[in-house]
């Protein structure tokens, strides 16, 4: 058993902590690597902060993703998981289930969500990126979260799923509700989730009918067609799947772009190296750079909920059956036992087995899409707005409250006004 150190544990989940949680995580890694904490919701959970323990926990079959294994009625009260997903019958998605259901669903979804599909989508992501930058390039200032990092993955995932253009602004509104209420009252989020669920069910129904005629090639059509030994996704499963691809795929990318640009603006030497490399037509530093930005200040601070199905030991700490376990990816990815100079941003870092996309059977299915969007967004911003500067004192920036994700509410920037992209 670890003894809590005589120096008292830092205060977690305050506004100050949200701004820079890394010193608190360093303390926990050293003094209480598996630490029981009371979360803002009132639920008690174990926080796992060391890299080796985190990697083990992420792949441990005794830690279930299914909230039915939580020994408290807290899940029934909606205090864990995504607000509203239970009522909206969206529970059967990949983040909430274990094998064998997880294996079957993931295999079906992998058939529709292939690396080839993502690669073919690259020109569309470039087009969306340029269109959004066109919207503010001539102005000389922008809020990169609301005008760029937020709409880009929403429109991209809508296109990929096959949401008709005329409905995409509704999606943008629902997604905005989810983000805005992320750290506050859950009612607004639950309402948005319900609307999105209703819309997806209708869209899937329409596409299933239409598939006989038009042979569409979007992701929802792919989900409907994907079959495994004659097994298909039910309409409910397809709706839950489309929802989780949207939910998991958009806020993470908003934060990857936002946190990534912010880290580059705070590290001018690294940013200059990246700009030179991109200008020279190289991709190597951009590729390692995205992975390093994920490690250094990634979009997902804590991995999603896990519940102990039996008593187990992690990092010398006994964890009773039924207890929730949260793996702190942000702490593990700065563990000096695994990474040299972990608090330094090094875009050329080679040995970078970060846990930003998770590890094990729940390794992020959307990682190729996130990489594509992140690389395209950063390369295009740095090319088209080469003198991008932070438009506010870092001390004035606010981070969104909320447990799982880490991201800025706003990111004001200034730059020399430029013309629209040459293609337009």
């Amino acid at each position: 058993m670890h003894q809590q150190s005589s120096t008292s544990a830092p205060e977690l989940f305050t506004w100050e902590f949200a701004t820079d949680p890394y010193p608190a995580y360093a303390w926990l890694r050293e003094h209480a690597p598996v630490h029981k904490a009371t979360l803002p919701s009132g639920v008690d959970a174990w926080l796992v902060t060391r890299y080796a323990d985190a990697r083990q926990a992420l792949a441990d079959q005794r830690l279930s993703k299914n909230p039915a294994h939580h020994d408290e009625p807290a899940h029934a009260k909606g205090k864990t998981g995504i607000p509203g997903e239970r009522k909206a019958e969206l529970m059967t998605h990949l983040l909430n289930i274990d094998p064998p259901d997880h294996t079957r669903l993931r295999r079906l979804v992998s058939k529709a969500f292939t690396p080839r599909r993502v690669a073919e989508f690259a020109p569309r992501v470039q087009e969306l990126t340029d269109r959004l930058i066109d919207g503010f390039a001539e102005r000389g200032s922008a809020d990169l979260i609301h005008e760029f990092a937020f709409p880009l993955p929403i429109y991209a995932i809508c296109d990929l799923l096959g949401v008709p253009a005329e409905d995409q602004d509704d999606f943008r509104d629902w997604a905005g509700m989810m983000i805005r209420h992320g750290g506050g009252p859950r009612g607004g989020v639950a309402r948005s989730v319900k609307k999105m669920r209703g819309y997806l069910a209708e869209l899937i129904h329409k596409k299933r009918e239409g598939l006989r005629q038009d042979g569409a090639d979007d992701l929802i059509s792919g989900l409907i067609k994907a079959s495994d030994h004659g097994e298909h996704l039910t309409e409910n499963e397809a709706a839950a799947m489309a929802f989780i691809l949207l939910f998991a795929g958009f806020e993470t990318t908003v934060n990857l772009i936002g946190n990534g640009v912010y880290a580059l603006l705070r590290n001018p030497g690294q940013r200059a190296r990246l700009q030179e490399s991109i200008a020279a037509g190289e991709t190597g530093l951009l590729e390692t750079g995205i992975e390093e930005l994920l490690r250094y200040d990634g979009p997902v601070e804590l991995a999603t909920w896990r519940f102990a199905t039996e008593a187990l030991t992690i990092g010398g700490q006994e964890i009773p059956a039924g207890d929730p376990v949260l793996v702190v990816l942000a702490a593990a990815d700065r563990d000096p036992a695994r990474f040299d100079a972990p608090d330094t941003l090094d875009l050329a870092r080679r040995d970078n087995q970060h846990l930003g996309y998770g590890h094990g059977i729940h390794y992020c299915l959307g990682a190729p899409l996130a990489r594509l969007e992140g690389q395209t967004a950063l390369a295009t911003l740095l090319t088209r707005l080469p003198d991008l500067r932070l438009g506010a004192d870092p001390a004035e920036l606010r981070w969104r409250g909320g447990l799982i994700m880490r991201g800025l509410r706003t990111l004001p920037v200034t730059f020399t006004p430029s013309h629209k992209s040459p293609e337009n």
Side-chain angles (χ1 to χ4, degrees):
M1 293 285 286
H2 283 286
Q3 295 302 309
Q4 294 288 350
S5 157
S6 53
T7 48
S8 57
E11 212 180 332
L12 304 176
F13 312 119
T14 61
W15 284 111
E16 295 75 20
F17 169 82
T19 301
D20 182 10
Y22 295 103
Y25 288 148
W27 189 95
L28 287 176
R29 267 195 317 265
E30 192 168 337
H31 301 289
V34 181
H35 173 69
K36 193 166 198 178
T38 301
L39 308 177
S41 61
V43 175
D44 285 339
W46 294 95
L47 302 180
V48 178
T49 54
R50 286 184 182 166
Y51 182 90
D53 297 338
R55 199 174 155 96
Q56 176 214 319
L58 289 172
D60 196 319
Q61 300 276 322
R62 297 167 300 173
L63 289 175
S64 166
K65 302 289 288 170
N66 186 340
H69 291 292
H70 192 186
D71 72 340
E72 274 190 53
H75 197 89
K77 291 185 204 140
K79 286 186 174 176
T80 64
I82 299 167
E85 62 180 359
R86 179 179 289 280
K87 278 205 185 87
E89 292 183 0
L90 286 168
M91 295 295 285
T92 51
H93 59 64
L94 289 177
L95 289 178
N96 271 353
I97 55 173
D98 304 317
D101 287 344
H102 177 272
T103 318
R104 177 183 76 89
L105 277 183
R106 182 158 175 133
R107 201 166 48 225
L108 283 168
V109 174
S110 300
K111 289 188 168 189
F113 196 54
T114 57
R116 200 193 88 212
R117 189 187 288 270
V118 172
E120 286 169 354
F121 195 53
R124 181 65 184 135
V125 172
Q126 184 64 61
E127 195 183 311
L128 284 169
T129 303
D130 276 316
R131 194 181 80 203
L132 290 168
I133 296 175
D134 287 346
F136 54 77
E138 293 175 348
R139 208 170 61 221
S141 68
D143 170 7
L144 279 189
I145 300 297
H146 290 278
E147 298 180 76
F148 185 66
F150 173 72
L152 177 61
I154 279 288
Y155 291 136
I157 203 87
C158 280
D159 275 2
L160 199 59
L161 285 171
V163 173
E166 62 273 18
D167 296 342
Q168 294 191 1
D169 284 330
D170 285 343
F171 255 76
R172 193 180 163 161
D173 292 345
W174 296 329
M177 283 292 285
M178 287 181 183
I179 270 204
R180 273 197 298 283
H181 290 286
R186 295 166 72 91
V189 186
R191 273 196 301 280
S192 299
V193 167
K194 203 171 169 190
K195 283 182 184 159
M196 208 175 263
R197 166 73 176 87
Y199 174 81
L200 285 170
E202 224 170 282
L203 184 63
I204 285 165
H205 192 69
K206 269 190 219 148
K207 284 188 182 291
R208 181 163 265 163
E209 296 298 296
L211 267 179
R212 295 171 195 139
Q213 292 95 45
D214 64 4
D217 190 36
D218 57 79
L219 189 52
I220 286 183
S221 302
L223 286 174
I224 295 167
K225 282 186 289 200
S227 73
D228 196 24
H229 309 301
E231 281 187 273
H232 288 265
L233 289 168
T234 65
E235 282 196 11
N236 239 356
E237 285 172 338
M241 219 56 246
F243 167 75
I244 202 60
L245 289 171
L246 183 92
F247 196 93
F250 110 84
E251 194 174 352
T252 46
T253 311
V254 177
N255 296 347
L256 169 59
I257 296 168
N259 299 6
V261 172
Y262 182 59
L264 290 174
L265 294 178
R266 304 290 307 277
N267 290 271
Q270 291 288 310
R271 174 252 184 98
R273 282 184 63 193
L274 182 58
Q275 260 171 310
E276 284 162 23
S277 165
I278 292 167
E282 299 160 3
T283 57
L285 193 62
L286 181 63
E287 286 164 10
T288 57
I290 282 290
E291 302 310 309
E292 173 67 348
L293 291 166
L294 273 160
R295 182 202 69 80
Y296 177 78
D297 197 9
V300 184
E301 194 166 333
L302 288 85
T304 46
W305 293 82
R306 285 169 166 74
F307 305 94
T309 55
E310 58 186 77
L312 69 149
T313 304
I314 301 176
Q317 174 69 57
E318 287 166 31
I319 292 175
D323 276 15
V325 174
L326 289 167
V327 176
V328 187
L329 303 177
D333 278 344
R334 291 212 189 186
D335 187 342
R338 176 61 185 80
F339 299 99
D340 292 333
D343 295 321
T344 301
L345 182 72
D346 173 9
L347 298 179
R349 191 183 290 272
R350 286 265 169 242
D351 177 23
N352 192 359
Q353 298 277 308
H354 66 77
L355 299 175
Y357 292 124
H359 170 66
I361 61 165
H362 290 280
Y363 181 82
C364 175
L365 192 67
L369 180 60
R371 285 193 178 106
L372 169 68
E373 290 176 346
Q375 289 177 18
T376 307
L378 288 185
T380 312
L381 273 177
L382 293 176
T383 303
R384 292 192 52 190
L385 312 173
D387 64 349
L388 195 66
R389 303 176 290 279
L390 200 51
D393 179 341
E396 290 169 14
L397 295 178
R398 289 286 166 266
W399 295 78
R400 272 198 300 276
L403 195 61
I404 302 294
M405 302 287 184
R406 171 164 173 75
L408 287 159
R409 287 171 180 265
T410 59
L411 181 55
V413 292
T414 58
F415 45 87
T416 302
S418 71
H419 297 298
K420 293 193 170 187
S421 58
E423 298 78 47
N424 294 342

